Amino acid sequence: MKFVAFERAKQGTGASRRLRITGRTPGIVYGGAGLEPQLIELDHNALWHALKKEAFHATVLDMELNGQETKVLLRDVQYHPFKQLVLHIDFQRVDATTKMNLKVPLHFSGEDESSAVKVDKCMINHIVSELEVRCLPADLPEFIAVDLSQLKKGVSLHLNDITLPKGVVAITHGKTNPVLVSVVNPVEEEAAPAAAPAAPAKKGKK
């Protein structure tokens, strides 16, 4: 995914405020061996629409600056507390030969065709919606597809049950084979309706 950035000459709170008034968003690009951080600015409206796209958050981006393209990753976005306004954005330069860590979204499919849902009427809980991975920039997937069509009652889906793209390793921070999706059994209906209250005893004749 490609976006256009422009050089930013001034920095500081006042300069950034004036920049936002003109419809631009201040940002910075850092990283890269021997390279200094680069102050940039972006068109706010174009940036706002780009940020709504999943790929802008989870893939290597092509930043065009002064007619040259640089591979970068989105690293941080600061939003206004209540306005539809991006206050600042950070990017990191990407080295094609250096592995990196990034969170990649999981795309689930097929749960309605599984026996857990279709036959046993179970509820499916997506425990995680993204997975942190480590890989080279060229191997970074836009998302990881997870097929749930084989889910069965009482059996959860773990990390080891899915196949990661080539060159991609999951980062679990010490967790052993974490659960990605759980299968919750349906609530059993009461076996029998509650007994009707006993009729009051009739009074005998005196």
Side-chain angles (χ1 to χ4, degrees):
M1 188 172 177
K2 183 178 179 179
F3 70 96
V4 178
F6 307 90
E7 284 191 27
R8 176 163 59 101
K10 298 180 180 180
Q11 58 180 318
T13 304
S16 294
R17 187 183 301 113
R18 289 190 292 272
L19 192 64
R20 295 185 194 105
I21 292 174
T22 65
R24 297 292 183 98
T25 300
I28 190 170
V29 183
Y30 59 85
L35 296 176
E36 294 293 326
Q38 171 82 54
L39 297 178
I40 61 171
E41 59 186 67
L42 298 89
D43 178 79
H44 182 272
N45 287 341
L47 176 61
W48 182 263
H49 290 295
L51 286 167
K52 293 181 179 180
K53 299 178 181 179
E54 187 178 69
F56 199 77
H57 298 260
T59 59
V60 176
L61 306 170
D62 293 316
M63 181 184 72
E64 181 183 328
L65 179 65
N66 294 331
Q68 295 184 337
E69 287 192 4
T70 304
K71 302 289 186 182
V72 299
L73 284 173
L74 174 63
R75 281 309 190 191
D76 188 51
V77 185
Q78 297 175 26
Y79 292 96
H80 192 279
F82 55 88
K83 295 181 181 178
Q84 290 189 343
L85 181 66
V86 181
L87 299 177
H88 195 275
I89 191 162
D90 294 4
F91 296 96
Q92 179 185 351
R93 297 185 186 95
V94 169
D95 180 359
T97 62
T98 302
K99 290 186 177 182
M100 59 187 183
N101 288 19
L102 192 69
K103 291 183 178 179
V104 175
L106 300 178
H107 284 190
F108 299 102
S109 65
E111 63 182 65
D112 290 339
E113 285 74 46
S114 68
S115 63
V117 173
K118 209 170 183 181
V119 178
D120 298 308
K121 312 301 180 185
C122 296
M123 296 291 293
I124 307 300
N125 285 341
H126 300 164
I127 305 300
V128 296
S129 59
E130 58 186 13
L131 192 64
E132 184 175 353
V133 302
R134 182 173 178 78
C135 63
L136 290 171
D139 295 329
L140 180 66
E142 182 176 338
F143 61 87
I144 296 174
V146 181
D147 181 14
L148 303 181
S149 62
Q150 302 303 311
L151 286 180
K152 296 180 180 179
K153 181 179 180 180
V155 181
S156 297
L157 184 78
H158 293 73
L159 175 60
N160 290 350
D161 297 325
I162 69 172
T163 301
L164 297 176
K166 183 180 179 180
V168 176
V169 177
I171 306 298
T172 60
H173 300 286
K175 296 181 180 179
T176 303
N177 197 22
V179 175
L180 304 181
V181 175
S182 66
V183 179
V184 181
N185 294 342
V187 178
E188 298 292 342
E189 297 182 2
E190 294 183 6
K202 295 182 179 179
K203 294 182 179 181
K205 294 181 180 181
K206 291 183 179 180

